[in-house]
Amino acid sequence: MTAVDAPRTTSLDWASTWWWFGARRLVRFVASLWVLVTFAFLMIHLTPGDPIRAALGPRASAAIVEGRRAELGLDDSILTQYLRYLGHLVTGDLGQSFQSRLPVGQIISDRLPHTLSLAAAAFAVILLVGIPVGLLAAIRTRNGRHRGSELTFTSASTLVSAVPDFLVAVVLVFSFAVSWDLLPIAGRSDASSYLIPVLALAVGPAAGVARIVRVEMLGVLGRDYIRTARAKRLPARLVYLRHALPNALTATLTVSGLLLSGLIAGTVLVETVMAWPGLGPTLTGSIINKDFPLAQGIVLVYGTLVLLVNLVVDLALAALDPRATVRGR
């Protein structure tokens, strides 16, 4: 009886531990979101300069500037503005752009899909290229074989992953758009317009993922169960894809989540270089013009996406590897 009940008790304990793990991660997410909102508010409001003068122009009279400032509540104390800002966020109101006088939510909803499509395409390329390349490199160089291939792979992947994405974008534009006239120089038109920005975002991270997959695979290929699978004369394809690769993807999943977070933020520079109609150029322009509501809204969207990605990765790792819930206690 005891032997039968023991597994049930263990299973319930793991479920309870997992739910506590998820609850703690959710509380941490909410706390991080509050820090993000506060930081975005203070960062924008403590920046020197007059946003109303910047929006109305140097020829606007002092009376018009003061009237507009009072209308927007910028004469109130920072604390009053902060509490009013939090109250509007609770109702989903991100405010109105100083420059265009359009709702910030409308501007973000118009441009966010373009940014997300770029990040999603780059992330797919990273996984589709990085994992197979890392797997093949591990198979070819396992047990110290093919030292030349190992040296070439590690040198090339280190060099490629160290190049900034905006610099890759400039080189690709000069090569494929300016010199050879094969692809659009800038903007978003047809599918070909995605190639340069997606490659610029994906080249470096794909090299990094390939390095991680290779290292993890080399560790897994030396395990006893892999030697047992070989001793059973299983086809190499089954040994690598069914037994080795799934056990090497835990670290890859963790790094991929961080890469996706970096991609969302990294689109700002590449979108600006490529004149992509996403949030990146809008954020840059709003900061230059001191358009507080628009800059706050975009920073908040970027930060929330990064926090959500990290939360999903944590929960996915806990589901795939229950030991993570114990380590995260």
Side-chain angles (χ1 to χ4, degrees):
M1 188 69 181
T2 302
V4 173
D5 290 342
R8 292 181 180 176
T9 303
T10 302
S11 178
L12 289 174
D13 286 345
W14 274 115
S16 176
T17 302
W18 194 91
W19 282 112
W20 275 112
F21 176 83
R24 285 195 301 274
R25 287 293 183 270
L26 192 59
V27 170
R28 185 181 301 177
F29 169 78
V30 174
S32 301
L33 195 59
W34 174 74
V35 172
L36 170 68
V37 169
T38 305
F39 179 76
F41 177 85
L42 293 177
M43 179 186 68
I44 299 298
H45 278 73
L46 296 180
T47 302
D50 187 349
I52 303 304
R53 173 62 69 184
L56 296 179
R59 295 185 177 180
S61 66
I64 293 177
V65 172
E66 291 302 322
R68 180 62 175 161
R69 182 178 290 112
E71 178 188 349
L72 295 173
L74 296 180
D75 287 338
D76 298 333
S77 66
I78 289 291
L79 179 60
T80 302
Q81 294 183 54
Y82 175 64
L83 294 177
R84 183 168 57 235
Y85 176 60
L86 291 181
H88 288 166
L89 281 183
V90 171
T91 61
D93 182 10
L94 295 175
Q96 187 182 71
S97 168
F98 288 169
Q99 293 286 327
S100 65
R101 303 201 176 191
L102 292 173
V104 171
Q106 177 185 337
I107 298 174
I108 292 176
S109 62
D110 289 342
R111 294 179 173 270
L112 181 60
H114 303 312
T115 296
L116 292 181
S117 64
L118 201 60
F123 187 64
V125 172
I126 290 170
L127 297 183
L128 291 175
V129 173
I131 293 177
V133 170
L135 175 62
L136 293 175
I139 294 172
R140 183 169 177 79
T141 61
R142 64 187 175 91
N143 297 327
R145 297 185 299 182
H146 299 98
R147 301 293 297 179
S149 299
E150 180 180 359
L151 181 61
T152 302
F153 173 81
T154 53
S155 301
S157 59
T158 301
L159 178 64
V160 170
S161 60
V163 180
D165 48 14
F166 67 90
L167 187 56
V168 177
V170 171
V171 173
L172 292 176
V173 167
F174 178 77
S175 302
F176 293 97
V178 177
S179 300
W180 300 330
D181 196 21
L182 297 176
L183 297 171
I185 293 178
R188 177 180 178 273
S189 53
D190 53 13
S192 63
S193 62
Y194 277 83
L195 290 177
I196 290 180
V198 167
L199 287 177
L201 288 169
V203 167
V209 167
R211 287 170 59 88
I212 293 170
V213 171
R214 174 180 172 271
V215 171
E216 292 294 318
M217 279 294 295
L218 289 177
V220 170
L221 291 176
R223 302 272 176 84
D224 291 339
Y225 61 89
I226 296 297
R227 284 192 285 269
T228 302
R230 293 182 189 280
K232 292 180 178 179
R233 297 185 180 278
L234 291 178
R237 173 176 54 85
L238 293 181
V239 173
Y240 295 134
L241 298 182
R242 180 179 295 179
H243 296 282
L245 185 60
N247 291 288
L249 289 183
T250 302
T252 306
L253 178 60
T254 305
V255 174
S256 298
L258 298 176
L259 287 176
L260 183 56
S261 302
L263 275 179
I264 294 172
T267 55
V268 175
L269 290 176
V270 174
E271 284 182 342
T272 303
V273 171
M274 298 296 302
W276 191 261
L279 289 178
T282 310
L283 175 61
T284 305
S286 64
I287 293 175
I288 293 174
N289 296 320
K290 302 186 185 306
D291 195 341
F292 289 172
L294 185 55
Q296 286 171 349
I298 296 176
V299 169
L300 193 58
V301 168
Y302 273 119
T304 304
L305 289 173
V306 171
L307 292 175
L308 277 174
V309 169
N310 290 334
L311 176 66
V312 171
V313 170
D314 281 348
L315 296 179
L317 283 176
L320 293 174
D321 183 6
R323 292 170 298 179
T325 61
V326 177
R327 291 194 295 266
R329 295 180 71 173

